[in-house]
Amino acid sequence: MIINHPILGPRDAQEFVYLGDANLINRPDGLTASPQEMHDYVYLRTNPAGEHRELWYHEQGDRSWLVVTRNTVTHEITKVELARDVARQMGRSK
Amino acid sequence: MRYSGFRVIAEALTGHKGWKPVWRDPQPQAEYDYVIIGGGGHGLATAYYLAKEFKQARIAVLEKGYLGGGNVGRNTTIIRSNYLLDGNEPFYEFSLKLWEGLEQDFNYNAMVSQRGIMNLIHTDAQRDAFTRRGNGMILNGADAELLSRDQVRAMYPFLNFDNARFPIKGALTQKRGGTVRHDAVAWGYARGADSRGVDLIQQCEVTGLRIENGRIQGVETTRGFIGAKKVGVAVAGSSSKVMAHAGMRLPIESHVLQAFVSEGLKPLIDGVMTFGAGHFYVSQSDKGGLVFGGDIDGYNSYAQRGNLPVIEDVAEGGMALMPMIGRARLLRTWGGIMDMSMDGSPIIDKTHIEGLYFNGGWCYGGFKATPASGWCFAHLLAKDEPHKTATAYRFDRFMKGLMIDEKGQGATPNLH
Ligand SMILES: Cc1cc2nc3c(=O)[nH]c(=O)nc-3n(C[C@H](O)[C@H](O)[C@H](O)COP(=O)(O)OP(=O)(O)OC[C@H]3O[C@@H](n4cnc5c(N)ncnc54)[C@H](O)[C@@H]3O)c2cc1C
């Protein structure tokens, strides 16, 4: 698989480390979240067959986190964003 | 129809005209007491033990494709009970004991071959860890033995003992481990279930779960609605898809695992060998092909095929362990979809919906579990309480901090 890095251009997926569902960006606040919320965040996944937004880390490159939109049935990648930009769009400071 | 040596001879002398189809191809009934979703190893074993050991009831297995077309027919056929943790080891040892009596029990040749499994040791730390694991196994009634470097060398002189990075220092072995003809397991359980009245319904995909007032009513399928008092889900890599029909999100991700077979070679490896440090394991089939594999591809996937980098990685592992493998040609590779759980261990449990039960999260190791998984799931379905070897396989273990994490990796399914 080739991941079209927004800054570095097309890179082999082998350069990256995979983390999983991009919703992991939205970690609940550890002090205010209920145990149930924290459990759901850490352990439960939607795990869809089809379009999946997921986190990849460019370990052997510029060390950026990316949000990759990929089809889990065909492995086709349709969108690649910097995780930083995605987080900021959601109102986060970084 | 019972199979026996006498029967084979009698048929040979009479032109093989007496053999009959091994199972029926029934139409779905309007309602059953138990509907099992998934005609893989676990679903078929569940139906078999439910019919045989627990209850005389109306039972159906619904399979979207053909029986045994999923992971049960795609795995590398290894059976073993070499786990460390209390939540796991009694269950896997129960499974190994069931394997030992399986062929007599269901009157079918599944080619259960206890040719032994050997996990190679490369460092002192690994020897300590494997010694501890071996002791854990023995405490739970399984067999385990530590082999010295010389003992390993006597068995497999061709291994690369002096690899600069992973020199071989010994091995942990379980002689009762081995391999089983995987398709025959599906067929044997299917035949055994069918002959006890279970309806095996193929080409029947479950597309919805009908739930009213918190109770299961039945399943929507591509062959219409089928009513059921109890529904057991055993769909391996499709677990999240099916349970989403009940509005549930699971502690599971689906990942692809690949396997490989070489051309047929003369007898070379008589047992199963794992080279964990190099992400490679191998055995030799009765036809002579080297059957081997390594890691999962590592990203969520529902495609029953993997990608080239893992093929390269596995080939490198093979070359590091036994350099002469480079002369063998690869005949086939394929992939299957794994239900990778958050702690690497399975779930056999009720759900919050009355009458809906779940069996999944088997990761890349559910084939060896097939008999015990079927037995324990049947136990749960019939008696509404877990079998004594499966009490730890609960959904709420993540909430309660009672994870069964053999590898100590945490909630990272692609690393288990
Ligand atoms: C390459 C590879 C190597 C492996 N090696 C080993 C090994 O050496 N040892 C070991 O112990 N384990 C191994 N495993 C793991 C093992 O194969 C699985 O854990 C186990 O087979 C899963 O249980 P099952 O047999 O019930 O799954 P499956 O055979 O996959 O059965 C699930 C069935 O459910 C059906 N289904 C799915 N959705 C629906 C629906 N909506 N409606 C109706 N039916 C549905 C599917 O078609 C499928 O037939 C390996 C797996 C792979 C892929």
Side-chain angles (χ1 to χ4, degrees):
Chain A
M1 289 188 298
I2 302 288
I3 295 178
N4 202 359
H5 192 298
I7 299 169
L8 301 175
R11 308 299 311 177
D12 191 328
Q14 282 306 96
E15 294 175 4
F16 295 78
V17 173
Y18 180 82
L19 183 66
D21 195 320
N23 284 321
L24 290 170
I25 292 178
N26 305 317
R27 184 174 62 212
D29 183 85
L31 293 177
T32 56
S34 67
Q36 188 67 47
E37 270 176 275
M38 215 61 192
H39 163 270
D40 293 359
Y41 167 79
V42 177
Y43 295 111
L44 301 188
R45 301 286 185 274
T46 304
N47 190 23
E51 193 169 278
H52 189 225
R53 293 181 80 229
E54 54 200 23
L55 287 164
W56 292 74
Y57 175 60
H58 200 190
E59 188 177 42
Q60 291 172 46
D62 69 345
R63 307 275 175 112
S64 57
W65 282 95
L66 304 183
V67 174
V68 175
T69 306
R70 192 179 56 94
N71 188 309
T72 58
V73 179
T74 62
H75 296 165
E76 188 193 5
I77 294 172
T78 48
K79 194 170 176 188
V80 184
E81 302 153 274
L82 288 173
R84 187 178 61 200
D85 295 345
V86 173
R88 282 192 183 135
Q89 278 158 25
M90 292 186 307
R92 293 254 302 262
S93 61
K94 56 179 181 173
Chain B
M1 175 173 50
R2 276 193 73 77
Y3 293 144
S4 65
F6 171 75
R7 178 92 207 192
V8 172
I9 294 166
E11 286 296 336
L13 296 174
T14 53
H16 290 291
K17 295 201 181 79
W19 301 119
K20 296 199 180 61
V22 176
W23 51 77
R24 299 165 293 132
D25 186 18
Q27 289 300 313
Q29 306 284 312
E31 201 201 33
Y32 291 93
D33 297 319
Y34 297 96
V35 161
I36 311 296
I37 308 176
H42 293 212
L44 293 167
T46 303
Y48 173 78
Y49 291 118
L50 203 51
K52 178 165 180 277
E53 307 284 339
F54 293 102
K55 267 186 196 155
Q56 289 295 325
R58 297 169 303 158
I59 305 167
V61 175
L62 310 182
E63 165 55 47
K64 76 172 173 196
Y66 60 93
L67 298 179
N71 291 337
V72 70
R74 291 166 185 268
N75 61 69
T76 42
T77 78
I78 301 164
I79 62 165
R80 56 189 171 88
S81 69
N82 55 1
Y83 285 74
L84 171 70
L85 299 177
D86 287 343
N88 276 332
E89 183 58 12
F91 172 85
Y92 285 103
E93 180 52 23
F94 176 47
S95 202
L96 196 51
K97 291 216 169 74
L98 288 173
W99 283 118
E100 287 171 332
L102 184 67
E103 294 165 301
Q104 297 306 319
D105 183 55
F106 68 16
N107 178 235
Y108 202 83
N109 181 8
M111 296 164 71
V112 177
S113 165
Q114 293 182 288
R115 51 183 72 187
I117 179 165
M118 175 188 284
N119 312 119
L120 295 172
I121 295 171
H122 312 280
T123 62
D124 290 345
Q126 213 179 8
R127 183 185 289 110
D128 288 349
F130 280 13
T131 307
R132 180 167 173 238
R133 173 137 58 105
N135 284 333
M137 292 160 64
I138 291 167
L139 283 173
N140 281 296
D143 64 308
E145 210 178 305
L146 273 182
L147 299 185
S148 68
R149 176 183 163 99
D150 288 344
Q151 284 172 300
V152 177
R153 199 192 280 277
M155 290 173 73
Y156 300 121
F158 53 82
L159 296 182
N160 187 359
F161 283 83
D162 301 312
N163 181 303
R165 192 161 167 214
F166 299 119
I168 296 169
K169 304 270 191 188
L172 174 69
T173 174
Q174 181 176 35
K175 293 201 168 131
R176 287 164 59 243
T179 59
V180 183
R181 171 74 204 276
H182 51 193
D183 300 307
V185 174
W187 300 332
Y189 276 123
R191 170 172 167 271
D194 173 85
S195 69
R196 287 171 178 79
V198 174
D199 283 355
L200 306 174
I201 299 162
Q202 306 183 61
Q203 307 295 331
C204 180
E205 179 171 356
V206 171
T207 53
L209 299 170
R210 191 180 289 177
I211 297 159
E212 280 165 20
N213 302 321
R215 187 162 217 314
I216 194 86
Q217 307 293 324
V219 297
E220 312 285 351
T221 80
T222 47
R223 295 174 69 170
F225 175 77
I226 300 174
K229 296 205 175 85
K230 289 184 174 180
V231 173
V233 178
V235 294
S238 302
S239 293
S240 298
K241 269 161 73 175
V242 172
M243 298 310 278
H245 297 311
M248 287 178 74
R249 288 170 79 227
L250 304 180
I252 286 175
E253 284 178 4
S254 296
H255 287 261
V256 60
L257 176 68
Q258 305 192 57
F260 309 83
V261 173
S262 78
E263 60 190 322
L265 303 169
K266 288 188 175 169
L268 176 70
I269 298 174
D270 59 0
V272 180
M273 206 184 327
T274 73
F275 174 35
H279 309 274
F280 177 82
Y281 67 92
V282 62
S283 65
Q284 188 168 18
S285 79
D286 294 329
K287 284 191 287 186
L290 296 179
V291 181
F292 56 96
D295 282 340
I296 58 175
D297 273 38
Y299 42 81
N300 288 39
S301 176
Y302 282 92
Q304 282 179 323
R305 61 177 176 79
N307 276 317
L308 289 169
V310 165
I311 299 183
E312 185 180 25
D313 187 61
V314 171
E316 283 171 359
M319 288 297 287
L321 180 68
M322 37 189 289
M324 92 289 224
I325 201 176
R327 300 290 297 275
R329 270 166 293 210
L330 199 59
L331 278 195
R332 290 185 287 130
T333 80
W334 65 92
I337 304 305
M338 314 282 77
D339 34 344
M340 299 299 296
S341 71
M342 287 289 154
D343 59 358
S345 293
I347 293 162
I348 304 178
D349 202 359
K350 302 177 198 179
T351 67
H352 65 283
I353 291 153
E354 214 184 316
L356 180 64
Y357 301 76
F358 177 74
N359 175 328
W362 292 100
C363 302
Y364 45 76
F367 177 66
K368 70 175 98 67
T370 305
S373 167
W375 186 298
C376 294
F377 200 33
H379 188 284
L380 180 71
L381 281 159
K383 303 189 174 181
D384 266 313
E385 55 188 58
H387 184 265
K388 66 177 191 305
T389 63
T391 51
Y393 295 152
R394 304 163 57 101
F395 273 114
D396 66 5
R397 67 175 184 263
F398 300 99
M399 190 67 194
K400 294 186 168 162
L402 300 173
M403 276 71 80
I404 317 167
D405 192 340
E406 290 274 339
K407 249 179 142 185
Q409 292 282 18
T412 46
N414 60 342
L415 298 180
H416 282 294

